[in-house]
Amino acid sequence: MMAVTAISIDNLLPAFPAIQARFGVPDANSLQLLVYVYMIGFGAAQIFYGPLSDTYGRRPILMAGLAIYVVGSGLAMVAPSFGWLLAARIIQGIGAASGRVLSTAIVRDRFAGREMASVMSLIMMVFLIVPMIAPAIGGAMLLLGSWVYVFVSMLALAGILFVWFAWRMPETLHPEFRRPFSFRAVAQAVGLTFRNRVAVGYATALGLLTGCIMGYVGSAQQVFDTGLYHLGALFPLAFGLVAGSMGAATLVNARLVRRLGMRPLSHAGLSLFVVVAVIQVVAGLAYHGHPPLALFLAILAANQFLISFAMPNFNALALQPLGEIAGTASSFLGFYTTILGAFCGYLIGQSFDGSVLPIGLGYAVLGALALAVVAWTERGRLFRGGVSG
């Protein structure tokens, strides 16, 4: 289900010029809204999926989310205007949000501690490997004649997953953890979640790092294709190379986290991320915002590699103390991190000025803030391990 989220964002990127031409969008930066309004729907809907799944179970709520996603995909295919298309993207995001909440809740239902972090890394690896091929899929759909076929591919994936989950996925919610659906019960769970220093701290850091990813994704098509490097048909290749570094890192993380622990590994990854982000800014300034493509790709891939040691572990650390309310906790923490990440990413993306500096500055600032938040969360004791992390 995490693949739905990735493909819903990344395989649409090559279609931006075609959509701009179809609807007469005057400002290329406005096309980034196709990413950010999706993330708004994706973030806001998470509030509801968790509490509902804590009452009715993970399986039926996940299936309902997939059905909503299918409706949004269908509406996008018949969009008569850019505004209609944006509304359809919001509906897609609302449906896909079920996967974000329930995949993490299902993992928390079945695993804990370092084992949970390892499984979370494998799930994140799928989420990050899909972008390696998603733009190529989008480009192939365009070759069939229309940007509409990009949404056909999304619809097909959702249909396959719906059949698969209906056939194979068991219910994972423990009967003793089933909670009545009431505003009072939800409020109690939310209170427990946001009074927990570890949950709030790591969720905030995760949101800031999500902002880095969203800022890059939102402006990637302009950076690699129409606005800076003019790669054209090679854009999916450049995008895939960067995404590949993230997929490799999550695989390494899944293997190392059982031995080293979530905290030492994620703290080291974040610290090095900040260092490389500063190098990214220096390189951008040295070349007046337009460094050689090979240099830019190398630095960007290094940073994406490092960020992948932080994000899945931060997600696991945030949920670690909240097992008995995993659905509601995943829901509200997911809402918080997604909206924070979408807002920060929007600021980075809308700052695109024909150079790579906004991405580098965004990475450096948000990375430093995330490191400060983690230091606050751990009361200054970074890199320490433990049985649960």
Side-chain angles (χ1 to χ4, degrees), residues 108-320:
R108 186 60 188 88
D109 286 342
R110 302 189 63 181
F111 304 99
R114 296 182 180 184
E115 190 174 9
M116 181 178 73
S118 179
V119 174
M120 203 76 78
S121 289
L122 294 175
I123 292 175
M124 187 64 72
M125 183 177 66
V126 174
F127 178 73
L128 296 174
I129 285 178
V130 167
M132 294 174 63
I133 60 172
I137 294 173
M141 294 298 103
L142 289 174
L143 292 177
L144 294 177
S146 172
W147 57 269
V148 173
Y149 291 112
V150 176
F151 288 99
V152 172
S153 67
M154 299 180 194
L155 191 64
L157 176 61
I160 292 170
L161 287 175
F162 189 93
V163 173
W164 175 260
F165 287 140
W167 179 38
R168 298 285 295 176
M169 192 182 84
E171 179 56 60
T172 63
L173 177 62
H174 301 294
E176 63 270 24
F177 288 165
R178 197 175 291 267
R179 302 170 62 89
F181 185 76
S182 68
F183 288 110
R184 181 178 180 181
V186 171
Q188 288 176 342
V190 172
L192 286 173
T193 299
F194 285 99
R195 284 196 300 270
N196 189 290
R197 184 186 186 100
V198 170
V200 172
Y202 279 106
T204 300
L206 178 60
L208 293 169
L209 295 183
T210 301
C212 295
I213 300 297
M214 296 312 304
Y216 160 65
V217 169
S219 52
Q221 191 274 334
Q222 291 164 279
V223 169
F224 290 125
D225 190 1
T226 58
L228 188 56
Y229 290 108
H230 302 287
L231 295 181
L234 294 178
F235 161 53
L237 177 60
F239 193 87
L241 287 173
V242 175
S245 69
M246 302 180 73
T250 54
L251 181 60
V252 174
N253 181 72
R255 293 177 177 275
L256 290 181
V257 72
R258 294 175 184 267
R259 182 158 53 92
L260 301 179
M262 290 182 281
R263 285 180 170 87
L265 204 54
S266 62
H267 296 174
L270 178 57
S271 299
L272 291 173
F273 173 84
V274 174
V275 172
V276 176
V278 173
I279 295 173
Q280 191 171 341
V281 173
V282 172
L285 291 172
Y287 288 95
H288 306 288
H290 193 166
L293 177 62
L295 176 62
F296 176 67
L297 282 176
I299 296 175
L300 187 62
N303 243 344
Q304 303 299 79
F305 183 85
L306 292 168
I307 203 174
S308 301
F309 286 98
M311 293 182 69
N313 292 321
F314 285 179
N315 197 20
L317 285 165
L319 281 175
Q320 174 67 23

